[in-house]
Amino acid sequence: MEYNWQIWEPTPEQLVTIDWLSRELSISIPAARMLVHRGINTALEARSYVRPSLRELHDPFLMQDMDKAVNRLEHAIRYRERIMVYGDYDVDGTTAVALMYTFLKMFTPNVQFYIPDRYTEGYGISFKGIDTAEQDHCSLIVALDCGIKSIDKARYATSKGIDLIVCDHHTPGDEIPECVAVLNMKRKDCGYPYKDLSGCGVGFKLVQAYAITHGVEECKLLNLLPLLAMSIASDVVSMTGENRVLCYFGLQQINANPSEGVKAIMRITGIEGRPVTISDLVYKFGPRINASGRMRSGAEAVKLLITDDPEFAAQQATDIDSYNNERRGHDEETTHKALEMLAADPDNDTRCTTVVFGEGWHKGVIGIAASRLTETYYRPTVVLTTGEGDIISGSARSVADFDIYTAIDSCRDLLTDFGGHQFAAGLSMHRQDLPEFKRRFEEYVSAHIRPDQKAPTIHIEQELVLGDIDAKFYKILRHLEPFGPDNPRPVFVTRNVINNRYTKRVGKNGEHLRLDVTDRSAAITGIAFGQGDKALHIQNGNPVDVCYELDENTFNHVTSIQMMVQDIHYV
């Protein structure tokens, strides 16, 4: 796939700030550029950014309905009502349930949790879940990472004499559920200043508000932050503001005082004995927690995350790891079949969208398959499979900066249900409406997608010479962590590098490239996955431009900085 390279160019005013920060902080110009690129313009802002503080968190009572939610929760605890903590089956939902359940158990034994079945109940609050609450004599449901569109479910709960508190971060519809409290910073009438919390983050704000009201020690909140860090990392929410602060301290807590469940995941993934990183949360923790809801039940993940029994945690982590391996098999099979179908479609290459339906595809991997197809064709994608009766359902994934939620919303009259956000969504429809959905979805996207959104772009921080890369520069880069959306890991480009000594193909079939290159200011090694075919060109002495991230590599107990190559252009 061809990538566009887009290099950030500072304004004349920013260049002045870069020069001033470089002198004020005694750092290199390239290091100062990284700070200014993130909106850091003073020495005070720089020190605050690299040393986040929990004092930067906003007052939770700025969120609409927060006082109502705290009062209802307080009443339930005081009068020993039974509380159901209800959440979605993905990482955000299960971590939110684990967080809220763990917190409430400090104050009352009368709390239980409920995760809906992905296949029989679907996303969001279900009638079955409310019936279960009634059967178990629960008079309050705290719904996390779902509920903002559960208008009929809220009415049903009320008819059963059950109160409902919704803690959600998804985009509200035209109508807000009628219940005790609806916590969602995206409500039009909500003045909460930070709009990018995860579902677990909204739940945490309720916990924070309750803690402020009742003088709960800060340490009890700190112990919950690892769950919030997993949620933020895995749910692709903005890594800025409160999210960055919460994730920063969540990672600190994971590495200083991990729970039994976290330790078990670390052991099963082979990362025990070294600091857990944001990448570990995304690529090792997230898929395994998600696999529970995809292949069995999200409740399995919650049990792991709330346990303090090391033996149970070890067995539960082993089970969840096996679910993830099972998920991989279904994922590969579904993606392969979808690619075959698209390759056989004569109109596929002329479309701006991908919409594909497969009879009997495993519902648990539909979203992953949509992501794989988006990576292959780089266009808004919907993957669907069979549901109940004549209903088909699936997942949508977008390309950078294109709002797929709005595109799907333009077809809402054809849908039986849908929800999500700018980058990802879930939807269902009657099977007979699929051809019309494909036509209208394609029509909307082709009319609204920009040319620059039709090819992947690598956003490059700045151009470096290899001599700029030293221990001090890398230390400042690490201070910008944790990385994520809106605070991406910096990508650099170095021009006209040539083979130093040992550039070669590596991997089982020589599909990868091990680089050893120089630009005559310094030499560096690196790895370029899937680019082994460029080895001979570089070995023959030809210069190339290299686009890369920086990471550390430890070999024979020696740690060095290396390039993680994103793309290579021949000069």
Side-chain angles (χ1 to χ4, degrees):
M1 183 180 291
E2 292 292 325
Y3 291 91
N4 298 321
W5 290 10
Q6 187 176 88
I7 302 177
W8 176 64
E9 294 293 343
T11 65
E13 292 79 10
Q14 287 172 323
L15 287 171
V16 172
T17 304
I18 289 166
D19 183 64
W20 181 85
L21 267 184
S22 172
R23 288 183 280 106
E24 182 73 11
L25 298 174
S26 300
I27 58 177
S28 67
I29 290 290
R33 280 178 66 115
M34 287 195 296
L35 296 177
V36 172
H37 192 202
R38 283 155 180 77
I40 300 165
N41 298 309
T42 68
L44 182 63
E45 288 174 348
R47 294 185 182 102
S48 174
Y49 196 87
V50 303
R51 295 182 181 87
S53 168
L54 290 171
R55 290 190 296 273
E56 297 172 44
L57 300 182
H58 299 298
D59 179 356
F61 287 98
L62 294 174
M63 194 173 290
Q64 184 73 21
D65 283 0
M66 185 60 78
D67 54 342
K68 297 176 184 176
V70 171
N71 289 340
R72 183 63 185 89
L73 205 55
E74 181 181 50
H75 185 277
I77 291 170
R78 179 180 298 171
Y79 292 99
R80 300 181 181 179
E81 296 178 54
R82 188 147 194 87
I83 304 168
M84 173 184 280
V85 179
Y86 186 112
D88 190 24
Y89 36 68
D90 66 1
V91 178
D92 194 12
T94 53
T95 53
V97 167
L99 183 148
M100 185 63 67
Y101 178 87
T102 301
F103 181 76
L104 292 179
K105 286 291 281 187
M106 299 178 196
F107 307 100
T108 175
N110 302 317
V111 58
Q112 65 189 68
F113 69 84
Y114 187 93
I115 305 291
D117 183 272
R118 177 187 287 264
Y119 308 115
T120 62
E121 296 172 77
Y123 167 76
I125 301 173
S126 69
F127 291 117
K128 181 181 177 182
I130 295 169
D131 288 342
T132 301
E134 181 186 32
Q135 292 162 15
D136 293 345
H137 307 291
C138 296
S139 53
L140 175 64
I141 296 175
V142 181
L144 299 142
D145 191 34
C146 61
I148 194 61
K149 289 190 173 181
S150 299
I151 310 300
D152 55 343
K153 312 299 193 311
R155 293 193 185 108
Y156 186 69
T158 299
S159 75
K160 298 283 187 180
I162 299 170
D163 285 339
L164 175 64
I165 296 173
V166 169
C167 303
D168 203 353
H169 71 131
H170 294 98
T171 305
D174 296 331
E175 186 179 356
I176 298 294
E178 295 178 13
C179 52
V180 169
V182 177
L183 306 180
N184 187 324
M185 61 284 164
K186 293 176 182 172
R187 287 177 59 168
K188 291 178 182 178
D189 59 349
C190 183
Y192 194 76
Y194 189 71
K195 303 296 184 182
D196 293 307
L197 294 170
S198 64
C200 186
V202 178
F204 176 78
K205 298 309 291 189
L206 174 54
V207 162
Q208 183 190 13
Y210 188 93
I212 290 170
T213 304
H214 294 85
V216 178
E217 303 96 315
E218 187 177 84
C219 63
K220 291 184 177 178
L221 297 187
L222 284 175
N223 290 335
L224 303 173
L225 293 185
L227 296 164
L228 190 47
M230 293 179 214
S231 156
I232 292 167
S234 298
D235 210 53
V236 200
V237 291
S238 179
M239 193 64 77
T240 58
E242 279 194 304
N243 281 343
R244 182 173 176 271
V245 172
L246 292 165
C247 204
Y248 176 89
F249 284 100
L251 276 169
Q252 274 196 349
Q253 193 72 9
I254 286 172
N255 288 308
N257 186 30
S259 67
E260 293 299 336
V262 167
K263 285 191 282 190
I265 297 174
M266 290 165 65
R267 279 193 294 271
I268 208 73
T269 56
I271 60 173
E272 194 177 28
R274 67 163 176 79
V276 175
T277 66
I278 197 77
S279 294
D280 293 326
L281 298 185
V282 174
Y283 297 112
K284 296 187 183 299
F285 283 63
R288 286 165 175 80
I289 295 171
N290 261 332
S292 293
R294 294 183 189 281
M295 311 311 298
R296 293 294 186 278
S297 167
E300 298 298 305
V302 176
K303 292 173 186 175
L304 172 63
L305 296 171
I306 65 176
T307 188
D308 56 7
D309 181 340
E311 290 186 12
F312 177 81
Q315 183 57 57
Q316 199 74 354
T318 300
D319 291 344
I320 284 175
D321 193 52
S322 71
Y323 303 156
N324 192 48
N325 291 332
E326 183 183 350
R327 185 272 306 167
R328 279 200 193 102
H330 286 289
D331 167 23
E332 291 170 3
E333 179 184 4
T334 301
T335 303
H336 177 71
K337 288 180 178 177
L339 288 171
E340 282 186 335
M341 291 169 62
L342 293 167
D345 182 352
D347 298 323
N348 182 54
D349 292 339
T350 62
R351 291 198 180 99
C352 292
T353 63
T354 298
V355 180
V356 60
F357 165 71
E359 195 83 41
W361 286 348
H362 197 292
K363 292 181 181 179
V365 300
I366 291 300
I368 300 171
S371 296
R372 300 270 191 263
L373 297 182
T374 304
E375 292 168 6
T376 302
Y377 290 106
Y378 203 74
R379 57 199 190 196
T381 297
V382 177
V383 179
L384 299 149
T385 187
T386 42
E388 294 294 319
D390 72 334
I391 297 293
I392 60 175
S393 60
S395 294
R397 296 293 183 270
S398 193
V399 297
D401 299 327
F402 184 81
D403 187 344
I404 201 166
Y405 180 89
T406 303
I408 293 171
D409 186 53
S410 72
C411 307
R412 64 159 59 214
D413 57 299
L414 299 173
L415 306 176
T416 58
D417 194 20
F418 82 102
H421 48 74
Q422 178 179 353
F423 304 110
L427 68 164
S428 58
M429 69 190 78
H430 294 286
R431 188 188 294 237
Q432 64 267 25
D433 290 327
L434 177 58
E436 180 64 7
F437 173 81
K438 289 178 70 171
R439 185 191 70 78
R440 284 174 47 185
F441 184 63
E442 170 69 21
E443 184 179 78
Y444 180 93
V445 172
S446 61
H448 291 85
I449 196 165
R450 302 190 309 266
D452 63 291
Q453 294 172 323
K454 294 181 179 181
T457 297
I458 298 177
H459 295 278
I460 296 171
E461 185 97 7
Q462 59 180 299
E463 187 174 326
L464 297 179
V465 297
L466 296 181
D468 291 328
I469 304 168
D470 58 17
K472 187 174 182 180
F473 177 81
Y474 187 71
K475 183 178 180 181
I476 293 170
L477 185 154
R478 290 294 307 271
H479 276 312
L480 302 179
E481 295 178 346
F483 297 120
D486 301 322
N487 181 37
R489 181 177 291 276
V491 178
F492 307 103
V493 63
T494 299
R495 309 284 187 185
N496 293 302
V497 301
I498 57 173
N499 185 36
N500 185 41
R501 292 171 117 185
Y502 302 118
T503 295
K504 62 180 180 179
R505 299 182 79 140
V506 295
K508 185 176 180 181
N509 300 307
E511 65 271 33
H512 309 308
L513 177 64
R514 167 61 68 180
L515 284 167
D516 177 16
V517 293
T518 180
D519 64 354
R520 294 190 170 84
S521 73
I524 195 169
T525 61
I527 185 73
F529 293 110
Q531 300 188 60
D533 59 336
K534 296 182 173 71
L536 186 59
H537 181 86
I538 298 172
Q539 288 167 348
N540 287 338
N542 296 300
V544 293
D545 295 343
V546 183
C547 171
Y548 56 92
E549 297 174 357
L550 291 172
D551 203 354
E552 286 183 329
N553 180 50
T554 301
F555 183 70
N556 286 338
H557 306 291
V558 176
T559 299
S560 60
I561 302 169
Q562 70 168 357
M563 296 188 297
M564 303 298 292
V565 177
Q566 308 297 301
D567 199 19
I568 297 173
H569 283 181
Y570 293 162
V571 177

